[in-house]
């Protein structure tokens, strides 16, 4: 059974004058899914979201919501709700009026509105604040009101533009879970913009990585982590970021020779073209201290940081290699260390194009 | 550094305001003096006897009701035209940023520089050709609207710029049309700034002289400013009556300003979103 997708973006292009902000973007979003758009600042995430909302018009391509082309449809007829980064609460209205605004515009009967406000306020824990103005609320409470204004409408699609970026770290983690729970409870389709890959990884079913206005890779969070298609995605997803070391495939095609002091040779899980120049990607959490006898990167710990639960080892200098260990490593800075990695965890990328050279686990 | 004004600064402030307000004081005092006391030397700083009959007398003899009514008509009409046209104009100038907007702003500021006494000749000729001088009060309203518009636009544009565009976008997504978002979200937030600017325009228009003097020949249609001018002939000796006229003319405006000053100052300085 194939269900009709809730949102389809077909070859969407957007130009701001001479600036090409969105480049040939095609994304399909299933009904009820939670999709994250991530990427570095300026990559076009907000532009894409605003195009979905109808606040920007696209230059070419097509946007469909439940099968209907909405390229020319004004925002009010798209049945989407949006939570803005600045929350954009109406300052001259109380929380109750803010939340009920869209329903009042639709001339929903007052008793229904009251019930809807009461329910949304209960879900969001805003019952005590309904008669306050937004300027008498904390950042977290304002964020909830913005969410309330969206959920009360029961729209086809929720759009979030970095809704948590103005909150402090612990509240952010908390709201992450709440938004996800809310999404499940309401059962709507959500598109969530963030520059924080952890938010994208933890909240979304489907992650779209944007770079410079085009889709770099999309897929489930774990597929992006396990099989990054490009060096950019590999470095963007995962924290601390993946280590990159340039090197060359050995003559037998079964190992990689790294450009590091001591010229270490690490075995690969699959054959590669002998002599090919590569960038090897080694995730900090996949590296570990080598037992004697196995092939290893010989280096020196330049600093050791322990958070109690995990230990960060910063090794060597050019390039620096970060190791994330679950153990309390009995090491101090300056000591020599030997690092190893399972062959299937080595990612290889073309140094010129940055594309993955089908090597890593999968 | 303390924020408390030093006695010296305080003294300077008091002295300067005294100098600045002295003419006003002199107007009130003179209006209450008798004809001979006006010319007494040395001048008296407080009138010898208080005679309020002079106000009723001046009101009657100078037919002030008609003059003030005309002032009111011209001021209200000008204010309404400035507010309606200027609000839309300021909104556009606040929301769009391109070369044309910059040019428009430059022109608006340039208009502000041109003095009314210079503009009146071409305006008079043009209006006369258009037949507008048949309706002289309306002609004055139009001319004054053009003159006062830059001031209004600059103030109100700043108010609109302080309202984030995201609020409008939120309203669009919530179900408003462009016009609905403007009327229900932007206008209420800009209300204070618009009201205050409109009041300032009203006060300016209430004292307008150059255009009215040139364009309104019919005495029954002239505003109080022109009436006052007509009172002051070359051989005038009735200074106390002239001052009584002036007192009747400006006191309501002054009272309104004093009553509203708190709102006026806060409306101009605070953003829409406090
Ligand atoms: N109105 C505009 N006119 C011209 N260029 C624009 C306009 N709006 C956005 N851009 C450009 O489009 C690109 C994408 O902007 P966008 O706001 O979508 O970035 P973003 O991915 O949301 O970044 P951030 O994480 O910083 O919010 C940027 O390079 C920006 O300079
Ligand atoms: Mg953005």
């Amino acid at each position: 059974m194939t269900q009709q997708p809730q949102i389809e973006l077909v070859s969407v292009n957007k130009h701001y004058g001479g600036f090409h902000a969105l480049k040939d973007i095609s994304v399909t979003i299933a009904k009820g899914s939670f999709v994250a758009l991530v990427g570095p600042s300026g990559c076009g995430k907000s532009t894409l979201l605003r195009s979905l909302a109808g606040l920007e018009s696209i230059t070419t391509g097509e946007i469909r919501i439940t099968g209907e082309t909405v390229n020319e449809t004004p925002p009010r007829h798209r049945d989407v709700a949006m939570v803005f980064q600045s929350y954009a609460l109406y300052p001259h209205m109380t929380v109750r009026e803010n939340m009920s605004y869209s329903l009042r515009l639709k001339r929903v009967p007052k008793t229904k509105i009251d019930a809807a406000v009461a329910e949304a306020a209960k879900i969001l824990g805003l019952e005590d604040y309904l008669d306050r103005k937004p300027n008498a609320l904390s950042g977290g409470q304002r964020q909830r009101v913005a969410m309330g204004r969206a959920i009360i409408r029961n729209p086809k699609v929720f759009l979030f533009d970095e809704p948590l970026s103005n909150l402090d770290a612990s509240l952010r983690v908390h709201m992450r879970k709440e938004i996800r729970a809310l999404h499940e409870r309401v059962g709507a389709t959500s598109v969530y913009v963030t520059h924080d890959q952890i938010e994208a990884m933890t909240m979304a079913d489907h992650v779209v990585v944007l770079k410079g206005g085009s889709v770099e890779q999309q897929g489930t969070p774990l597929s992006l982590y396990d099989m990054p298609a490009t060096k950019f995605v590999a470095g963007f997803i995962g924290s601390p970021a993946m280590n990159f070391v340039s090197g060359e495939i050995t003559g037998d095609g079964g190992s990689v020779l790294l450009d590091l002091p001591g010229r270490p040779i690490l075995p690969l899980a699959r054959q590669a073209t002998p002599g090919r120049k590569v960038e090897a990607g080694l995730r900090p959490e996949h590296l570990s201290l080598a037992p004697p006898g196995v092939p290893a990167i010989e280096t020196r710990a330049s600093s050791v940081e322990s958070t109690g639960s995990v230990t960060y080892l910063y090794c060597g200098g050019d390039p620096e290699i970060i190791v994330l260990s679950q153990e309390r490593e009995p090491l101090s800075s300056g000591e020599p260390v030997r690092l190893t990695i399972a062959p299937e965890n080595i990612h290889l990328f073309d140094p010129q194009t940055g594309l993955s050279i089908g090597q890593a686990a999968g | 550094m303390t924020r408390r004004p030093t006695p010296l600064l305080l003294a300077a402030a008091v002295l300067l305001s005294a100098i600045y307000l002295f003419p006003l004081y002199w107007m009130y005092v003179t209006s209450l003096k008798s004809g001979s006391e006006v010319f007494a030397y040395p001048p008296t700083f407080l009138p010898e006897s208080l005679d309020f009959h002079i106000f009723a007398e001046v009101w009657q003899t100078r037919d002030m009701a008609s003059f003030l009514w005309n002032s009111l008509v011209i001021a209200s009409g000008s204010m309404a035209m400035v507010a309606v046209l200027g609000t839309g104009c300021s909104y556009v100038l606040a929301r769009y940023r391109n070369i044309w907007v910059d040019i428009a702003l430059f022109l608006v500021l340039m208009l502000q520089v041109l003095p009314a006494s210079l503009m009146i000749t071409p305006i008079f000729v043009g209006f006369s050709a258009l037949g507008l001088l048949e309706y002289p009060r309306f002609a004055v309203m139009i001319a004054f609207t053009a003159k006062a518009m830059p001031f209004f636009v600059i103030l109100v544009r700043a108010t609109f710029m302080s309202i984030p565009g995201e609020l409008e976008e939120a309203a669009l997504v919530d179900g408003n049309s462009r016009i609905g978002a403007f009327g229900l979200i932007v206008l209420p937030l800009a209300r204070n700034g618009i009201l205050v600017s409109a009041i300032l325009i009203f006060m300016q228009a209430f004292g307008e002289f150059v255009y009215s003097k040139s364009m309104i020949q019919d005495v029954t249609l002239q505003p109080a400013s022109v009436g006052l001018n007509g009172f002051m002939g070359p051989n005038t000796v009735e200074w106390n009556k002239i001052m009584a006229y002036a007192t009747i003319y400006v006191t309501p405006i002054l009272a309104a300003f004093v009553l509203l000053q708190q709102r006026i100052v806060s409306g101009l300085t605070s953003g829409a979103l406090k």
Side-chain angles (χ1 to χ4, degrees):
Chain A
M1 187 199 98
T2 53
Q3 207 181 7
Q4 185 187 37
Q6 184 81 344
I7 303 174
E8 292 162 280
L9 300 168
V10 187
S11 303
V12 169
N13 280 282
K14 165 84 189 170
H15 294 263
Y16 284 115
F19 180 72
H20 200 171
L22 298 179
K23 297 172 189 152
D24 203 32
I25 292 191
S26 295
V27 177
T28 302
I29 297 173
K31 189 164 196 294
S33 63
F34 195 110
V35 174
L37 304 177
V38 310
S41 188
C43 68
K45 308 178 294 285
S46 299
T47 307
L48 186 56
L49 198 73
R50 292 164 51 81
S51 306
L52 271 178
L55 298 171
E56 300 285 352
S57 58
I58 57 174
T59 320
T60 63
E62 204 179 324
I63 299 177
R64 287 187 220 127
I65 298 179
T66 54
E68 206 180 311
T69 303
V70 294
N71 285 19
E72 304 295 325
T73 312
R76 64 182 189 279
H77 294 142
R78 293 196 183 195
D79 198 15
V80 301
M82 184 155 171
V83 177
F84 291 81
Q85 179 172 4
S86 64
Y87 312 141
L89 302 179
Y90 311 125
H92 56 309
M93 299 184 192
T94 62
V95 168
R96 181 193 305 281
E97 288 164 344
N98 261 283
M99 296 215 288
S100 60
Y101 187 68
S102 57
L103 298 184
R104 285 187 283 137
L105 285 179
K106 274 194 230 152
R107 306 202 185 284
V108 173
K110 186 162 182 333
T111 48
K112 276 209 184 134
I113 293 181
D114 288 345
V117 169
E119 199 199 331
K122 189 152 158 266
I123 295 175
L124 294 163
L126 285 170
E127 287 121 316
D128 296 341
Y129 307 105
L130 283 177
D131 294 314
R132 289 207 198 163
K133 292 265 176 75
N135 63 4
L137 297 177
S138 73
Q141 290 161 346
R142 284 178 210 187
Q143 212 280 328
R144 282 159 200 273
V145 177
M147 302 272 304
R149 200 167 64 179
I151 62 172
I152 203 167
R153 292 175 43 193
N154 203 6
K156 282 188 199 144
V157 181
F158 285 105
L159 304 173
F160 299 91
D161 192 355
E162 310 209 15
L164 304 184
S165 57
N166 290 335
L167 303 181
D168 68 47
S170 62
L171 195 55
R172 208 149 54 205
V173 173
H174 175 73
M175 285 308 293
R176 218 148 77 190
K177 273 198 265 110
E178 276 200 18
I179 291 180
R180 180 68 219 202
L182 212 60
H183 165 81
E184 253 135 54
R185 176 172 186 155
V186 181
T189 311
S190 302
V191 182
Y192 187 101
V193 163
T194 175
H195 61 261
D196 180 352
Q197 54 94 17
I198 297 197
E199 262 175 36
M201 296 293 281
T202 51
M203 296 172 77
D205 311 314
H206 186 87
V207 177
V208 179
V209 182
L210 293 172
K211 182 194 172 197
S214 39
V215 175
E216 189 82 357
Q217 187 179 2
Q218 51 180 315
T220 62
L222 294 183
S223 74
L224 296 188
Y225 178 87
D226 291 337
M227 293 173 287
T230 65
K231 186 182 164 193
F232 173 80
V233 175
F236 192 76
I237 304 287
S239 166
M242 186 183 270
N243 301 293
F244 293 103
V245 183
S246 52
E248 191 183 319
I249 305 294
T250 53
D252 62 358
S255 308
V256 59
L257 171 76
L258 299 178
D259 283 346
L260 287 172
R263 315 285 288 159
I265 296 180
L266 299 177
L268 297 172
R270 267 191 263 162
Q271 284 297 111
T273 318
R276 182 170 186 181
K277 296 268 182 219
V278 295
E279 286 272 314
L282 314 169
R283 289 207 184 273
E285 55 274 33
H286 290 152
L287 286 162
S288 57
L289 296 186
V294 301
I297 301 169
E298 311 264 357
T299 178
R300 214 168 262 285
S302 53
S303 93
V304 182
E305 293 171 357
S306 182
T307 65
S309 60
V310 296
T311 307
Y312 296 95
L313 296 179
Y314 298 85
C315 303
D318 183 30
E320 183 175 67
I321 296 178
I322 302 174
V323 180
L324 176 64
S325 167
Q326 303 296 325
E327 311 292 328
R328 301 215 170 163
E329 304 293 355
L331 284 172
S332 52
S333 31
E335 266 185 75
V337 291
R338 302 178 69 244
L339 303 175
T340 189
I341 184 167
E344 65 274 17
N345 283 335
I346 299 178
H347 298 266
L348 295 179
F349 302 96
D350 186 288
Q352 261 86 52
T353 62
L355 293 177
S356 169
I357 308 175
Q359 161 63 33
Chain B
M1 284 292 288
T2 67
R3 283 328 232 122
R4 214 145 31 88
T6 64
L8 201 68
L9 279 179
L10 202 62
V14 169
L15 186 72
L16 284 174
S17 12
I19 293 173
Y20 198 74
L21 291 177
F22 183 77
L24 195 64
Y25 161 76
W26 205 240
M27 173 190 83
Y28 280 115
V29 173
T30 309
S31 69
L32 291 170
K33 290 177 181 175
S34 65
S36 53
E37 193 188 348
V38 171
F39 294 101
Y41 188 87
T44 50
F45 281 84
L46 284 175
E48 280 154 5
S49 65
L50 291 178
D51 181 8
F52 291 101
H53 280 101
I54 188 166
F55 295 114
E57 186 196 331
V58 169
W59 178 273
Q60 280 291 330
T61 56
R62 305 303 307 181
D63 196 13
M64 280 195 74
S66 151
F67 283 127
L68 281 174
W69 170 249
N70 290 328
S71 286
L72 198 68
V73 167
I74 290 173
S76 314
S78 306
M79 178 182 75
M81 281 204 280
V82 170
V84 170
L85 298 175
T87 300
C89 172
S90 326
Y91 178 70
V92 172
L93 291 177
R95 276 292 180 260
Y96 296 93
R97 212 54 251 240
N98 58 38
I99 181 78
W100 297 110
V101 166
D102 288 341
I103 292 174
L105 270 177
F106 175 76
L107 290 178
V108 158
L109 280 170
M110 210 176 71
L111 271 181
Q112 184 76 326
V113 174
L114 301 173
S117 44
L118 183 93
M119 296 295 291
I120 181 59
T121 316
I123 289 179
F124 189 89
V125 174
F127 279 11
S128 152
L130 287 172
L132 265 175
L133 295 183
E134 301 291 310
Y135 313 96
R137 288 185 301 188
F138 183 60
V140 169
M141 283 181 215
I142 293 181
F144 185 78
T145 299
K147 167 108 185 82
M149 190 68 87
F151 175 72
F152 183 86
V153 166
I154 287 162
L155 289 181
V156 175
R157 175 172 177 262
T159 305
F160 281 133
M161 297 214 338
S162 72
I163 300 172
E166 280 198 349
L167 290 182
E168 261 170 279
E169 297 182 340
L172 291 181
V173 175
D174 264 350
N176 271 134
S177 59
R178 276 312 298 259
I179 293 172
F182 177 72
L184 291 171
I185 303 296
V186 180
L187 265 193
L189 290 172
R191 190 191 55 202
N192 266 3
I194 295 174
L195 266 182
V196 165
S197 309
I199 289 172
L200 293 178
I201 296 290
F202 180 90
M203 289 175 178
Q204 281 181 23
F206 201 73
E208 203 286 321
F209 174 69
V210 177
Y211 291 149
S212 308
K213 170 82 179 162
S214 327
M215 288 195 259
I216 308 181
Q217 260 75 49
D218 184 345
V219 177
T220 60
L221 295 178
Q222 282 171 346
S225 56
V226 179
L228 179 60
N229 182 252
F231 203 164
M232 287 193 283
N235 307 314
T236 307
V237 286
E238 299 177 298
W239 286 112
N240 53 345
K241 290 194 180 156
I242 290 177
M243 291 304 165
Y245 185 114
T247 299
I248 297 173
Y249 183 19
V250 303
T251 302
I253 284 288
L254 275 180
F257 188 84
V258 169
L259 284 178
L260 292 175
Q261 62 98 10
Q262 197 109 54
R263 291 203 60 176
I264 290 177
V265 171
S266 70
L268 284 181
T269 52
S270 79
L273 308 172
K274 282 295 153 67

